Amino acid sequence: MPAIFNAKQSNLTAENAGTLDKSADLPLVLDLDGALIRTDILFETFIAYVRKNPLRLFQVASWVVRGRAVLKQKLAEKAVLDVESLPATEDLVSFAAREAAMGRKVHLATATDSLVARRIKKRFPFISRVFASDGATNLKSKAKAAVLVEAFPEGFAYAGDSRADVPVWKAAQESIVVNPTASVLRAARAVREPVEVFERPRTGFKFVAKVLRLHQWAKNGLIFAPLLLGGLMFNVQAWTLAAAGFLALSLLASATYLLNDLFDLADDRRHWSKRNRPLASGRLKIAHALVLIPAGMVAAYAIAAWIGPVAIGFLTLYLALTLAYSFSLKKIELLDAAVLATLFTVRLGFGVALAGVVFSPWLLVFSMFLFLSLSFAKRHVEVTRMEAHGRTKAAGRGYKVGDGPMVAMIGAASGLASVQVLVMYVMNEAYSAGAYAQPLMLWAAPPILFLWIARIWLLAQRGELDDDPVAFAVKDGPSLLLGAVLGMVFAAALLGSPL
């Protein structure tokens, strides 16, 4: 890919043009973190090390006390880091490779420990030499500038991305700015006009929505179902509590999604679609995620504290199950889908508690079978695509090639079981519960549910289903239509109005 030039640099003066003519004579030195790659190796090695055992945080703390250089060296020695999958700044890679092909020397100068830096050098064959931290010296900012001035007394060009690179730009003869924020770009221009600027990807609402997984908040809409089924459609207090519970659970869910993505970084980067997630792609910095996760949890529990002890209890149960899933259970085939279905049912149980309606075993059993089916549909898609990509085992999961038919069989059977449970609910409880003015209308619900489940599995079998069936459903026209008709059926049953 060609380098991205800043618009102001397209009209070069004669003096700048002369400078560019001399560029080939200057060694090109690349920064690593945030420049050659879109992530920070210190945080990458930290996550890679502690994800195996969170108790290792105490070991990391002891290294922090000994200094940043020691911390980087120890993490480099202990962590298993997949350097081949680290997200690169492709524009800079193409530029550097092209310059090297024309005979220009390209070097890497980084505060990352030399153990990792040398491994990264092998990934990018155009790099001639590596300057890196060594356990005693943290090669950053002024320390990096001093080393480069000594190594290249006749001058060098430097490509960096942060304020820490300002002393290096001052020591260099040419500045190249990579993935900068507005303030970093201003700081670089205060030194000299960069010869090139590789712009960072733009962020906006769509990016924020991806970071928070706003589309996944639709799952938490289950909290409102007990209000409708319990005859509280016009109860303002019940809706207020449910809305507060929805927001609390959604914020907690966003935090746990980020936490799960942190622990799945290496696997996601090898995945055909998950590699585009904000953390895996490097568009969201790990440091920012480490701030967002506790912030989301604190906000969620603050809302739960306003609601009451029941809300705190359900959020804690949800968090415990999610952490168990992220650390261990997701790697156990079949059990992983059961845990996902349980998390859906916890959402429904939370709604029951908030609404204060009579507990219905039928409702919770129905939820378990329905979402077990959808969870297996998600796994079936992953297994079939894994096979299509020539892999023998799902990364970070327990499924293997050939598991597709069994997963499909269990998932489809679970879906049909949910339809059967819905029929039994109508027969055994709907008429006697007293919540419905026209319970006869509910007999339209089982065939509608059957059509939707059958459609999900048909698309899964064809390979046309997204990785997440719930996310697919909120964008799929026929699914939305069936959902709207199902909602009308329950509204008619509750209010006693004909469709």
Side-chain angles (χ1 to χ4, degrees):
M1 295 177 64
I4 301 175
F5 286 83
N6 185 280
K8 294 182 179 179
Q9 297 164 11
S10 58
N11 298 319
L12 294 173
T13 64
E15 181 181 354
N16 286 337
T19 301
L20 286 176
D21 290 337
K22 300 176 183 179
S23 294
D25 298 328
L26 291 174
L28 174 60
V29 182
L30 309 177
D31 185 24
L32 180 62
D33 297 331
L36 184 61
I37 61 172
R38 294 187 182 275
T39 185
D40 189 308
I41 296 297
L42 174 59
F43 286 100
E44 291 282 343
T45 52
F46 168 72
I47 294 299
Y49 183 62
V50 301
R51 71 190 291 258
K52 298 293 184 182
N53 183 357
L55 294 178
R56 290 177 175 177
L57 282 170
F58 296 103
Q59 180 70 69
V60 173
S62 69
W63 295 334
V64 171
V65 175
R66 296 168 62 186
R68 203 172 182 86
V70 172
L71 172 65
K72 291 178 179 180
Q73 185 179 61
K74 292 297 184 180
L75 286 174
E77 292 172 351
K78 302 291 185 179
V80 179
L81 186 65
D82 182 6
V83 299
E84 294 298 324
S85 66
L86 293 173
T89 303
E90 295 299 339
D91 293 333
L92 181 61
V93 170
S94 298
F95 169 77
R98 186 169 62 249
E99 293 293 299
M102 292 188 295
R104 189 177 188 181
K105 291 295 183 181
V106 180
H107 309 283
L108 183 66
T110 175
T112 294
D113 189 80
S114 60
L115 292 176
V116 178
R118 288 197 298 268
R119 292 178 58 201
I120 290 176
K121 177 181 180 294
K122 295 178 181 178
R123 175 181 170 182
F124 301 102
F126 53 77
I127 296 176
S128 300
R129 185 178 176 186
V130 171
F131 302 87
S133 299
D134 58 6
T137 301
N138 184 33
L139 199 70
K140 186 175 182 179
S141 197
K142 293 181 180 180
K144 182 187 293 188
V147 167
L148 293 179
V149 167
E150 182 180 355
F152 307 110
E154 297 182 1
F156 61 94
Y158 180 73
D161 72 294
S162 69
R163 283 190 173 274
D165 294 314
V166 171
V168 190
W169 281 320
K170 289 180 178 178
Q173 278 60 55
E174 286 185 1
S175 302
I176 299 171
V177 186
V178 188
N179 299 323
T181 62
S183 62
V184 168
L185 187 55
R186 285 194 299 270
R189 283 177 170 156
V191 176
R192 71 173 62 83
E193 187 65 21
V195 295
E196 291 190 32
V197 176
F198 295 89
E199 300 283 4
R200 70 189 309 173
R202 293 183 178 275
T203 57
F205 177 76
K206 287 186 177 180
F207 177 71
V208 174
K210 285 185 177 181
V211 170
L212 298 180
R213 304 270 191 95
L214 291 185
H215 66 282
Q216 299 284 9
W217 286 24
K219 298 175 180 178
N220 300 327
L222 285 170
I223 289 175
F224 298 105
L227 274 68
L228 303 177
L229 300 178
L232 298 176
M233 291 181 63
F234 304 106
N235 189 309
V236 176
Q237 182 180 2
W239 278 98
T240 301
L241 287 175
F246 171 84
L247 181 58
L249 189 58
S250 296
L251 290 172
L252 182 62
S254 291
T256 57
Y257 286 138
L258 276 176
L259 183 62
N260 186 66
D261 286 352
L262 276 179
F263 285 91
D264 276 353
L265 271 179
D267 295 331
D268 285 354
R269 286 171 178 157
R270 296 288 188 180
H271 195 273
W272 47 87
S273 63
K274 294 179 182 179
R275 63 187 178 188
N276 296 319
R277 288 177 174 175
L279 272 170
S281 65
R283 293 188 66 193
L284 176 67
K285 294 182 180 296
I286 293 177
H288 294 166
L290 291 175
V291 173
L292 289 172
I293 290 169
M297 291 182 178
V298 168
Y301 271 95
I303 297 173
W306 176 81
I307 297 173
V310 170
I312 294 175
F314 270 96
L315 258 61
T316 302
L317 175 60
Y318 180 89
L319 180 60
L321 283 172
T322 302
L323 292 178
Y325 176 82
S326 296
F327 284 119
S328 176
L329 300 182
K330 66 184 178 185
K331 301 175 184 178
I332 305 175
E333 61 275 24
L334 305 182
L335 181 59
D336 63 331
V339 173
L340 291 177
T342 302
L343 287 171
F344 278 103
T345 304
V346 168
R347 293 176 171 98
L348 195 57
F350 188 22
V352 170
L354 290 174
V357 296
V358 178
F359 175 82
S360 173
W362 291 111
L363 183 61
L364 299 184
V365 173
F366 164 77
S367 173
M368 279 298 299
F369 277 120
L370 174 62
F371 292 109
L372 188 62
S373 178
L374 297 182
S375 299
F376 277 120
K378 181 177 182 178
R379 292 293 176 258
H380 181 263
V381 170
E382 292 178 353
V383 170
T384 53
R385 290 187 180 177
M386 171 189 76
E387 295 173 354
H389 284 77
R391 300 180 184 178
T392 59
K393 191 176 185 299
R397 300 293 187 271
Y399 297 94
K400 301 178 181 179
V401 169
D403 288 343
M406 174 61 72
V407 171
M409 180 183 69
I410 298 174
S414 299
L416 293 177
S418 71
V419 176
Q420 178 62 36
V421 172
L422 182 58
V423 170
M424 296 174 71
Y425 166 75
V426 175
M427 292 175 60
N428 293 284
E429 187 169 309
Y431 282 90
S432 60
Y436 302 99
Q438 292 289 338
L440 184 65
M441 304 293 297
L442 293 178
W443 285 110
I448 294 172
L449 178 65
F450 169 79
L451 287 174
W452 183 68
I453 292 174
R455 171 174 170 75
I456 290 294
W457 277 102
L458 181 64
L459 294 178
Q461 190 65 29
R462 290 176 177 176
E464 300 175 6
L465 186 68
D466 286 348
D467 290 335
D468 190 332
V470 177
F472 168 81
V474 298
K475 298 180 290 185
D476 177 54
S479 296
L480 292 173
L481 177 60
L482 289 171
V485 174
L486 188 61
M488 292 170 61
V489 166
F490 274 94
L494 286 165
L495 301 176
S497 301
L499 289 176

